[in-house]
Amino acid sequence: MFKKIDHIGIAVKDLEETMKKFKDVYGLELHKVREVKDQKVKIAVFKIGETKIELLEPTEEESAVGRFIRKRGEGFHHIAFQVEDLGSTLEKIEGAGIKTVTDKPTLGYENHKIIFLHPKTTNGVLIELVEK
Ligand code: CMX
């Protein structure tokens, strides 16, 4: 089922300022910076060992990350697990009463198949599944 942690998402108000902290203070290697238009976010991805940290700044207040920051402030937003086969994983997950946010997987910014699990059905933690 879940193979490893692909990345951890952190919602931030100011991407530029937070990137400086991750590079210059924490000493992490910047992997990529990108705008993901359909999710209404700008992201910066840092590598740490085998996993990554994804910083997310909303480009619009009315967006998943914009609403998250408005309600809860900056902070831990989601954890992404790599899975071998999204189809069989989803069958098992749905059989256990866990709901996905969208009906079908979509393509993430690296063209991998992704889907989000609704935090109301996953102990309050937004989970992203990634098939590479
Ligand atoms: N973690 C935990 N709980 C969360 C959450 C998160 N990241 N985001 C929202 N919630 C909670 C809210 O606190 C709220 O709880 P209460 O009802 O107790 O107040 C509930 O979920 C509904 O929140 P909402 O703001 O009313 O609903 P949204 O319209 O924002 O929808 C969700 C929530 C999970 C469906 C939406 O955030 C979503 O579709 N997320 C997946 C997509 C995404 O996060 N994209 C961001 C960028 C991804 C990337 O490129 O990596």
Side-chain angles (χ1 to χ4, degrees):
M1 286 282 289
F2 295 3
K3 292 298 163 200
K4 56 182 176 181
I5 296 173
D6 184 74
H7 65 266
I8 292 167
I10 299 175
V12 302
K13 288 181 182 163
D14 187 333
L15 191 67
E16 283 298 320
E17 200 182 294
T18 315
M19 278 170 64
K20 276 192 213 137
K21 198 188 285 170
F22 272 68
K23 272 196 289 190
D24 303 339
V25 184
Y26 303 163
L28 296 188
E29 181 196 339
L30 181 63
H31 179 52
K32 65 179 62 162
V33 182
R34 170 149 320 176
E35 183 168 344
V36 185
K37 287 219 165 89
D38 59 337
Q39 296 285 340
K40 300 178 183 154
V41 281
K42 278 194 294 188
I43 62 167
V45 182
F46 287 86
K47 282 193 167 167
I48 177 155
E50 273 199 37
T51 188
K52 288 167 273 171
I53 305 282
E54 183 178 280
L55 303 178
L56 309 142
E57 182 198 289
T59 53
E60 285 179 35
E61 213 179 293
E62 273 319 311
S63 58
V65 180
R67 282 190 292 275
F68 177 90
I69 290 180
R70 191 168 72 226
K71 284 187 177 170
R72 302 177 166 215
E74 295 184 301
F76 170 74
H77 183 262
H78 68 271
I79 184 162
F81 293 109
Q82 189 183 327
V83 299
E84 228 151 56
D85 177 51
L86 208 43
S88 59
T89 305
L90 287 175
E91 267 178 35
K92 196 158 185 186
I93 274 172
E94 283 159 9
I98 295 167
K99 302 269 182 259
T100 54
V101 168
T102 51
D103 287 343
K104 291 199 169 131
T106 52
L107 285 184
Y109 69 93
E110 280 181 314
N111 280 332
H112 301 133
K113 268 202 256 176
I114 62 163
I115 196 158
F116 285 89
L117 307 182
H118 202 287
K120 288 285 174 205
T121 63
T122 50
N123 309 85
V125 173
L126 177 61
I127 293 179
E128 179 181 352
L129 302 179
V130 184
E131 181 195 293
K132 295 198 164 168

